[in-house]
Amino acid sequence: MKKADRQRLIKQLITENEIETQDDLIALLEQSGVKATQATVSRDVREMSIVKTHGSDGRVKYAIFSQSQPSSSEDKLKESVKDSVIRMERVQFMVIVHTDMGAADVVTNFLDEVKYKEIAGTVAGVDTIIIIARSEADAKAVVERFEGMMN
């Protein structure tokens, strides 16, 4: 099966099913007559902007960002910050970001892709992100940047 056809099937399967793991996705592909390795599926997931999110029941599942989403990582970050961040607080060189339930990992993925020089690392939970800045001044700059994205 060609890559485009496989990815079209993956999109259909994710839309129609609650898929929690790549193993679940591989099994559904096999039921549809498509043999795919974990590495191939992992690459498809990354290329198709498929992310894990939390459903209304709190369970993790795969979801696809719609094509109407912004194209660059920074645009995606701005959109997700605007839509999902509830509040922030700076604690010395760290920034604690509170998001809607299930949105922290999505925001953090985009933040990590952008690679702001002020940020040494991030940790994401379900609704909380810890951003570790390189200094207190960098943490302040991160807060200001996020506040600008929220407005």
Side-chain angles (χ1 to χ4, degrees), residues 112-123:
D112 289 346
E113 282 181 18
V114 174
K115 296 181 173 132
Y116 290 125
K117 65 178 173 38
E118 302 91 351
I119 298 175
T122 59
V123 179

Side-chain angles (χ1 to χ4, degrees), residues 8-21:
R8 205 173 358 267
L9 178 58
I10 288 171
K11 183 177 182 179
Q12 177 185 349
L13 291 172
I14 287 175
T15 303
E16 295 174 355
N17 299 280
E18 299 274 323
I19 300 173
E20 296 181 20
T21 67

Side-chain angles (χ1 to χ4, degrees), residues 17-82:
N17 299 280
E18 299 274 323
I19 300 173
E20 296 181 20
T21 67
Q22 284 186 8
D23 289 337
D24 294 344
L25 181 55
I26 291 168
L28 285 171
L29 284 168
E30 285 182 11
Q31 289 174 12
S32 300
V34 177
K35 273 278 215 203
T37 65
Q38 190 277 329
T40 299
V41 171
S42 182
R43 191 170 32 257
D44 287 338
V45 164
R46 188 173 51 257
E47 289 176 7
M48 296 173 65
S49 298
I50 297 171
V51 296
K52 285 191 173 185
T53 187
H54 290 79
S56 57
D57 61 356
R59 294 174 62 182
V60 175
K61 67 175 187 168
Y62 281 117
I64 300 175
F65 279 111
S66 69
Q67 296 302 325
S68 64
Q69 292 291 319
S71 56
S72 79
S73 294
E74 190 157 32
D75 288 342
K76 290 177 183 178
L77 173 62
K78 288 176 185 175
E79 201 60 37
S80 64
V81 166
K82 184 177 181 181

Side-chain angles (χ1 to χ4, degrees), residues 129-140:
I129 304 166
I130 299 172
I131 300 171
I132 303 164
R134 299 186 187 285
S135 68
E136 288 188 40
D138 286 342
K140 185 177 178 186

